[in-house]
Structures are given as C-alpha cells and as structure tokens.
C-alpha cells in the first residue's frame, strides 16, 4: 500500500480495501513506532507468529471478549454475559469463530460487535 506506484485510493480500490481504514492503520502504526522509539524498544516484526499480537489484543480488550454460545446463535460477552452479534459488514460475519475480541458495540436491531478479531 505504502510502496504502491499509484495513488493510495487507487490501490485500495483495486484491492477492495477501504482507503480510510488503511490511512488510519498507517497513522496508528506511525504512532506506535514513535512510542517505541521514545521508549527505546526495538521495532521487530512478529512474522507469522501471531500469538503475541493476539495476547496484546486480549490484554487491551479483556472486557470485550465474547464467546460463541453453545447453540451457535450469538456470542456472549465474557464480562457481562450480554448477547451480541458480529456486525453484517464484518468479514467475520459468516464465520463462526469460537472466541472474538471487539472494540465497540453498536445497537441497531440487535447489539452488534464492531472491529472484531478472532482469538484462538
């Protein structure tokens, strides 16, 4: 995305990616890099070892973990047992992951989780 020869919006359109989301991700990455530099922490990729990233997310969003109910109809928030659903715009909407972490809830016809990540 950053190294693309075309405009970022053009690249995003070609690859079916939301340009605003990519911009936000790039901004967050730059912010984290600055914090690491200030704290003198080496910037090292985790490569294909995503366990560390998942642990970080669970630590940050421990109150926002939700597990699939036994009947598979909905998810239950671990901290409150509230019934929640994955938002239809999510790429995880059709997937039935056992546990997810989310960053916000949105009430429309149901209580939906937004910005979900699968936690194995």
């Amino acid at each position: 995305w950053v190294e693309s020869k075309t405009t970022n919006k053009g690249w995003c359109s070609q690859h079916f990616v939301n340009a605003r989301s990519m911009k936000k991700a790039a901004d967050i990455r730059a912010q984290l890099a600055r914090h690491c530099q200030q704290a003198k922490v080496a910037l090292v990729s985790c490569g294909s070892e995503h366990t560390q990233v998942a642990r970080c997310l669970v630590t940050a969003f421990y109150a926002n973990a939700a597990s699939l109910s036994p009947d598979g109809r909905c998810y239950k928030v671990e901290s409150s047992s509230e019934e929640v659903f994955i938002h239809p715009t999510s790429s995880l909407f059709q997937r039935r992951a056992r546990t997810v972490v989310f960053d916000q809830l949105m009430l429309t016809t149901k209580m939906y989780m937004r910005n979900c990540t699968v936690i194995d």
Side-chain angles (χ1 to χ4, degrees):
W1 178 73
V2 172
E3 297 170 359
S4 123
K5 301 280 190 245
T6 62
T7 65
N8 288 339
K9 283 186 178 181
W11 185 93
C12 288
S13 179
Q14 280 180 319
H15 293 87
F16 306 101
V17 175
N18 184 296
R20 255 189 321 190
S21 296
M22 287 297 291
K23 170 83 170 95
K24 184 171 180 120
D27 291 345
I28 291 169
R29 185 185 187 286
Q31 181 183 21
L32 289 171
R34 284 192 307 274
H35 286 305
C36 287
Q37 188 177 24
Q38 288 171 353
K40 297 182 179 16
V41 174
L43 275 178
V44 180
S45 173
C46 68
S48 62
E49 180 54 47
H50 300 124
T51 304
Q52 294 172 342
V53 176
R55 283 184 185 154
C56 180
L57 287 172
V58 170
T59 301
F61 294 103
Y62 67 92
N64 293 7
S67 296
L68 190 62
S69 64
D71 62 7
R73 187 182 62 78
C74 65
Y75 286 83
K76 299 254 184 176
V77 178
E78 297 292 337
S79 61
S80 67
S81 296
E82 181 177 11
E83 286 189 354
V84 293
F85 300 84
I86 294 178
H87 195 270
T89 60
S90 172
S91 61
L92 299 178
F93 181 64
Q94 297 296 329
R95 190 171 165 192
R96 292 288 179 219
R98 193 175 64 211
T99 306
V100 297
V101 171
F102 59 93
D103 79 340
Q104 63 178 273
L105 291 173
M106 180 174 76
L107 179 61
T108 57
T109 56
K110 298 177 183 176
M111 187 63 80
Y112 286 110
M113 298 179 286
R114 296 283 312 247
N115 305 319
C116 300
T117 300
V118 175
I119 302 298
D120 293 326

